[in-house]
């Protein structure tokens, strides 16, 4: 039997770190035969980022690994989703190399200025958080859709449980992720006639650098340890554990595939049961 994504090309933003969700997604797509563009900060990562950004070497290394291991084409491209010129350059590079794309995973994300209540939040940090997480999805989708629309395809946005349940002292991130969920639905309606499906995933607690950083902040605040915070968190998760990037990768790959051909405009929770909705 052929692989699910043979002959298809996928772009995954925020996929340049082996510890992250983006890399797990890119790998799942490559395993199923997709050519994969690893798009991440690489050059000049934002010095205000609290969580380590992808570096150019790691990105190039990942692209090499995916190409060699899975017999696909893979390309590392520098991308800052907050900069229109960077997004445009990425789109040109992808157009020149692949001509068209079939899958876009908008996964880049970051929080600035936390922990802070809304009334003490630094304005620049607030704007930047919304720029990366929400406007980044708009910018990248807008730039790459001309490469997808002629043949149709699938977009999967990494939203968050925080887009559905208020995340205290991390307000800009939560507002941005709620925006991503609405953007997903609007794009799903607008693009249905073009054969492009648009869905979002809403992860809960997933073991990545971002999650470690968050537990670190909590440990400082409560005067405890990262391990204790993690244990406390697990008590609120019916399945009793933190999730893995691979588990999110499986869901994204499913939504990107023809197995989800009748799904669009959905925001699917992957939270170990921490969030249950009717
Ligand atoms: P991570 O911090 O390991 O990965 C984020 C990636 O985004 C990094 O590779 C970083 O270089 C990239 N990035 C940051 N700013 C960028 C920019 N301006 N332009 C291009 N790339 C940029 O975190 P993780 O956990 O892998 O996060 C992936 C996505 O999943 C994010 O959108 C995050 O908000 C979301 N998420 C993560 C959860 C978790 O528990 N880890 C829970 C819910 C959502």
């Amino acid at each position: 039997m052929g692989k699910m994504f043979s002959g298809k090309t996928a772009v995954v933003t925020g996929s340049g770190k082996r510890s992250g969700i983006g890399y797990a997604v890119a790998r799942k797509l490559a395993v199923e035969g997709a050519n994969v563009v690893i798009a991440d900060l690489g050059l000049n990562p934002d010095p205000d980022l609290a969580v380590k950004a992808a570096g150019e070497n790691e990105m190039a290394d990942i692209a090499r690994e995916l190409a060699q291991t899975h017999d696909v084409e893979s390309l590392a491209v520098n991308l800052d989703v907050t900069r229109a010129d960077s997004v445009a350059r990425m789109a040109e590079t992808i157009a020149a190399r692949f001509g068209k794309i079939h899958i876009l995973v908008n996964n880049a994300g970051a929080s600035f200025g936390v922990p802070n209540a809304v009334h003490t939040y630094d304005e620049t940090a607030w704007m930047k958080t919304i720029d990366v997480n929400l406007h980044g999805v708009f910018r990248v989708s807008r730039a790459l859709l001309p490469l997808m629309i002629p043949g149709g395809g699938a977009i999967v946005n990494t939203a968050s449980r925080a887009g559905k349940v208020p995340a205290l002292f991390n307000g800009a991130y939560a507002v941005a992720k709620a925006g991503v969920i609405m953007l997903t639905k609007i794009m799903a309606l607008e693009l249905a006639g073009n054969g492009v499906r648009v869905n979002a995933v809403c992860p809960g607690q997933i073991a990545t650098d971002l999650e470690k950083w968050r537990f670190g902040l909590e440990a400082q605040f409560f005067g405890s340890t990262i391990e204790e915070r993690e244990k406390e968190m697990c008590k609120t998760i019916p399945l009793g554990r933190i999730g893995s990037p691979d588990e999110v990768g499986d869901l994204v790959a499913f939504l990107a595939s023809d197995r989800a051909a009748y799904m669009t405009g959905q925001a699917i929770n992957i939270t170990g049961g921490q969030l249950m909705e009717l």
Side-chain angles (χ1 to χ4, degrees):
M1 214 173 81
K3 293 182 175 177
M4 211 156 46
F5 300 122
S6 286
K8 300 202 168 176
T9 297
V11 179
V12 186
T13 70
S15 54
K17 279 197 301 180
R18 282 198 172 77
S19 58
I21 291 172
Y23 167 68
V25 169
R27 196 160 39 79
K28 298 278 172 187
L29 298 176
V31 166
E32 287 296 335
N35 301 320
V36 190
V37 177
I38 304 298
D40 210 319
L41 275 175
L43 293 173
N44 314 316
D46 189 326
D48 294 340
L49 270 176
V51 179
K52 180 176 87 83
E56 223 190 357
N57 290 343
E58 190 169 7
M59 287 169 56
D61 213 47
I62 286 174
R64 247 192 320 270
E65 172 211 310
L66 294 184
Q68 283 168 6
T69 315
H70 305 293
D71 197 21
V72 297
E73 287 187 55
S74 186
L75 179 69
V77 179
N78 284 297
L79 169 69
D80 182 343
V81 299
T82 66
R83 296 185 50 144
D85 58 343
S86 167
V87 173
R89 253 197 318 275
M90 173 195 66
E92 279 165 26
T93 308
I94 294 171
R97 171 79 177 261
F98 296 103
K100 55 186 173 182
I101 67 162
H102 309 85
I103 296 165
L104 167 61
V105 182
N106 283 302
N107 171 77
S111 265
F112 300 91
V114 295
N116 256 300
V118 170
H119 61 280
T120 59
Y121 217 107
D122 175 74
E123 184 171 338
T124 306
W126 180 278
M127 296 301 171
K128 202 147 69 169
T129 303
I130 294 187
D131 204 12
V132 174
N133 293 285
L134 175 57
H135 299 151
V137 176
F138 159 72
R139 267 187 211 103
V140 172
S141 301
R142 186 167 168 274
L144 291 181
L145 271 164
L147 303 183
M148 183 184 283
I149 280 178
I155 298 179
V156 183
N157 298 322
T158 309
S160 174
R161 171 179 177 269
K164 295 185 173 181
V165 178
L168 300 188
F169 309 114
N170 196 5
Y173 178 81
V175 167
K177 291 297 190 182
V180 170
I181 294 170
M182 181 53 78
L183 182 60
T184 300
K185 293 174 190 292
I186 289 169
M187 288 173 62
L189 284 172
E190 291 178 350
L191 290 162
N194 297 101
V196 175
R197 296 181 299 100
V198 189
N199 291 289
V201 295
C202 298
Q205 318 302 327
I206 308 297
T208 67
D209 292 348
L210 187 73
E211 182 78 353
K212 251 181 259 157
W213 163 74
R214 174 233 168 102
F215 283 134
L217 284 179
E218 282 190 12
Q220 267 174 22
F221 185 80
F222 291 105
S224 64
T225 63
I226 290 181
E227 292 69 31
E228 276 165 3
R229 293 314 306 162
E230 196 173 314
K231 228 189 239 164
E232 279 306 303
M233 179 62 81
C234 288
K235 289 184 193 160
T236 71
I237 302 172
L239 291 183
R241 64 173 175 86
I242 305 293
S244 75
D246 269 353
E247 288 169 320
V248 181
D250 281 330
L251 176 58
V252 173
F254 166 73
L255 289 171
S257 78
D258 288 345
R259 291 187 189 162
Y262 199 49
M263 290 180 72
T264 196
Q266 304 306 305
I268 309 294
N269 302 326
I270 174 156
T271 66
Q274 197 183 32
L275 175 55
M276 295 190 190
E277 296 173 304
L278 289 179

